[in-house]
Amino acid sequence: MTAIADIRQSIRPEIERLNALIKESLDSSNDLMNQVISSYLQHKGKQLRPMLVMLTAKLFGQVNDSVVTAAASVEMLHNASLIHDDVVDNSATRHGHDTINAVWDNHIAVLVGDFFVSNALQLAIRTNDLRVIDTIASLGKLLSLGEMDQIYNARFHELDEKAYFKVISHKTASLFVSCVSVGAYCVGVDDDRLKRMQRFAELFGLCFQIRDDIFDYFSDEKIGKPTGNDLREGKITLPLLYALSEGDKSQRQEMIELSRKESLSQEEITSLIEYAKANGGIEYAERTMKRLRDEAAEILASFPASETTTALLSLLDFIINREN
């Protein structure tokens, strides 16, 4: 079994309760809405985020009903962001499956995404914890800001690591930070232990996104998106950012100018990808992940050793070494 399969098995009853709650909460009086959602829920993905909620709760206590409800809330908001992202990016597939906007249309996809958002907020309210409600509401803002930051950087060509990390902190890491926050709140923890776990979750999310960005430089059907898709959308990620800063000077200015173009041909995308690879961009991104991973491991080591800390470290290693 893989590490993630082992972890899922260890919290299998809680995951089953989570999925039953999500299905129940999303049931509506509209047949079309139910049809679209039923089809969408057939492909649940890895459910890393609710797993992180539950593991955090286990680190400090037990997985109670509020924990499951909060985990469902985060997962719904995460899915809403994916549905809306697919509309914004005009994506036809996600991880090998047709998107809602591709099967139906953008109008329906936006409405379904909005429905997920509303249900996420309702579930947060059911925890009767204002901190959980505030976390979910704030998360929605951060996800939107992350996307806007990314659009701004693409349009105004902000080509530096600081801008890159600000984007991925908002659009990706914020979700994982919210997971550990609600997991801790639901078992009564709101002190230095939570602050440490929030930093762990931020590092976790940064590693997750860097690995995702590395995928874009290689061709693999398992990933579920074409090579160079980020560049096609004007997104300059860490491997190319490093190469544009530290790469071969004889080509650097040409590559910088190419990266600033409003629209790139496939040949130009290939040139940028090969420049990033040839000038150490992938290796730099890998080193960055290792540095972040080591800091995250130190944080976990500050807690008493347990099956849960082992599971959290295994989950971190899984997302760093995953192949899709």
Side-chain angles (χ1 to χ4, degrees), residues 286-300:
E286 296 276 2
R287 290 197 304 272
T288 301
M289 278 196 298
K290 183 181 185 306
R291 175 173 56 80
L292 299 174
R293 185 265 182 204
D294 289 347
E295 183 185 342
E298 286 184 14
I299 292 171
L300 288 179

Side-chain angles (χ1 to χ4, degrees), residues 89 147 150 154 171 229-237:
D89 297 336
E147 285 299 320
Q150 187 164 263
K171 69 169 285 189
N229 198 55
D230 289 337
L231 286 168
R232 197 170 288 107
E233 296 172 2
K235 303 170 186 174
I236 310 298
T237 54

Side-chain angles (χ1 to χ4, degrees), residues 45 71 81 84 101 108 116 141 159 206 209 220-221 236 271 290 292 298:
S81 72
H84 286 156
N101 51 293
I108 287 177
F116 271 74
K141 290 171 61 177
L159 302 178
L206 297 178
Q209 188 59 54
D220 192 332
E221 292 180 359
I236 310 298
S271 294
K290 183 181 185 306
L292 299 174
E298 286 184 14

Side-chain angles (χ1 to χ4, degrees), residues 96-302:
H97 302 293
D98 293 337
T99 57
I100 293 176
N101 51 293
V103 175
W104 302 91
D105 57 35
N106 286 345
H107 187 186
I108 287 177
V110 169
L111 291 173
V112 171
D114 290 346
F115 191 68
F116 271 74
V117 172
S118 298
N119 277 280
L121 291 170
Q122 282 191 319
L123 284 174
I125 292 169
R126 282 171 59 176
T127 67
N128 292 314
D129 191 324
L130 285 175
R131 296 168 302 179
V132 173
I133 299 166
D134 181 63
T135 298
I136 297 300
S138 298
L139 174 58
K141 290 171 61 177
L142 286 172
L143 294 175
S144 298
L145 286 172
E147 285 299 320
M148 288 297 287
D149 286 340
Q150 187 164 263
I151 291 169
Y152 177 89
N153 291 351
R155 291 187 179 180
F156 297 97
H157 312 296
E158 290 285 335
L159 302 178
D160 63 74
E161 278 194 35
K162 183 178 180 181
Y164 168 78
F165 276 104
K166 180 183 177 184
V167 167
I168 69 172
S169 179
H170 282 167
K171 69 169 285 189
T172 303
S174 63
L175 257 166
F176 295 106
V177 173
S178 296
C179 290
V180 302
S181 298
V182 300
Y185 292 147
C186 289
V187 293
V189 171
D190 187 5
D191 51 34
D192 178 67
R193 291 171 294 171
L194 173 55
K195 290 179 182 177
R196 280 182 277 157
M197 278 303 294
Q198 286 172 331
R199 177 57 180 165
F200 168 82
E202 182 180 21
L203 295 164
F204 187 105
L206 297 178
C207 287
F208 183 95
Q209 188 59 54
I210 292 170
R211 172 56 67 196
D212 228 32
D213 292 341
I214 291 173
F215 287 147
D216 201 54
Y217 292 79
F218 298 93
S219 178
D220 192 332
E221 292 180 359
K222 290 185 294 184
I223 297 169
K225 64 178 183 178
T227 306
N229 198 55
D230 289 337
L231 286 168
R232 197 170 288 107
E233 296 172 2
K235 303 170 186 174
I236 310 298
T237 54
L238 192 58
L240 183 55
L241 282 172
Y242 175 81
L244 293 176
S245 173
E246 304 293 335
D248 179 12
K249 292 181 180 179
S250 66
Q251 287 184 286
R252 189 187 301 169
Q253 192 56 43
E254 176 190 351
M255 292 295 109
I256 289 175
E257 290 175 4
L258 198 58
S259 69
R260 293 180 184 275
K261 288 185 65 175
E262 295 300 322
S263 179
L264 293 168
S265 67
Q266 185 55 52
E267 183 179 355
E268 290 168 331
I269 289 172
T270 300
S271 294
L272 287 167
I273 287 174
E274 293 308 315
Y275 182 76
K277 288 181 177 179
N279 288 275
I282 304 302
E283 291 80 5
Y284 177 74
E286 296 276 2
R287 290 197 304 272
T288 301
M289 278 196 298
K290 183 181 185 306
R291 175 173 56 80
L292 299 174
R293 185 265 182 204
D294 289 347
E295 183 185 342
E298 286 184 14
I299 292 171
L300 288 179
S302 72

Side-chain angles (χ1 to χ4, degrees), residues 304-316:
S306 66
E307 289 184 5
T308 304
T309 56
T310 299
L312 286 164
L313 186 58
S314 295
L315 201 61
L316 173 61

